[in-house]
């Protein structure tokens, strides 16, 4: 399941990234041509990306449309690292990426969002194990 969701996620992710690049021209704020050098934008982007992930995940538990795709993730008897990879191949059909769209429209470059999202995923990966008793939650 993890391999399939990774392959489908990569293909759909490229389409989503293209959409984000296109929407970036309609941003409200502009961090300049050298957006990667604006140091304070990175932690802000990380926190806002985590907030977007929170709402996406909350909808995954509260809204049937999202739960239909998210339920595979919670089908394990044990809480281990493979549980983090147990993702549906149909996650893109829920259109959960719309929770991240406001970041693009606020002016965060899609590459910055992708990098911050990657760090967020690393954190999420490690909280899906019984080996770590409790991770800090900010």
């Amino acid at each position: 399941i993890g391999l399939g969701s990774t392959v489908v996620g990569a293909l759909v992710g490229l389409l989503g990234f293209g959409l984000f690049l296109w929407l970036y021209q309609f941003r409200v704020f502009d961090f300049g041509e050298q957006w990667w050098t604006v140091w304070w934008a990175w932690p802000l982007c990380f926190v806002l990306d985590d907030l977007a992930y929170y709402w996406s995940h909350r909808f995954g538990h509260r809204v049937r449309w999202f739960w239909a795709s998210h339920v595979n993730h919670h089908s394990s008897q044990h809480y281990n690292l493979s549980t983090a990879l147990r993702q549906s191949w149909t996650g893109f059909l829920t259109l959960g990426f719309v929770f991240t769209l406001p970041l693009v429209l606020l002016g965060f470059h899609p590459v910055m969002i992708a990098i911050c999202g990657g760090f967020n995923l690393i954190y999420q990966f490690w909280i899906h194990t019984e080996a770590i008793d409790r991770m800090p939650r900010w």
Side-chain angles (χ1 to χ4, degrees), residues 5-105:
S5 71
T6 301
V7 170
V8 170
L11 295 174
V12 173
L14 288 174
L15 291 172
F17 188 75
L19 173 65
F20 279 24
L21 283 174
W22 179 75
L23 284 175
Y24 185 66
Q25 67 183 321
F26 303 110
R27 63 193 177 273
V28 176
F29 301 106
D30 190 358
F31 298 127
E33 289 184 30
Q34 295 185 335
W35 52 265
W36 61 90
T37 63
V38 183
W39 69 269
W40 54 267
W42 288 93
L44 183 60
C45 183
F46 180 83
V47 169
L48 291 175
D49 178 70
D50 191 49
L51 181 64
Y53 174 82
Y54 166 80
W55 282 108
S56 173
H57 191 243
R58 186 172 176 92
F59 269 58
H61 284 260
R62 302 285 186 208
V63 178
R64 287 182 182 216
W65 175 255
F66 291 95
W67 177 249
S69 177
H70 188 66
V71 68
N72 294 345
H73 176 67
H74 290 279
S75 64
S76 178
Q77 295 288 328
H78 302 285
Y79 216 47
N80 55 43
L81 295 179
S82 69
T83 303
L85 298 176
R86 187 177 288 127
Q87 302 291 333
S88 169
W89 295 22
T90 61
F92 68 94
L93 293 175
T94 66
L95 304 177
F97 67 89
V98 299
F99 293 97
T100 310
L101 286 179
L103 275 69
V104 176
L105 297 175

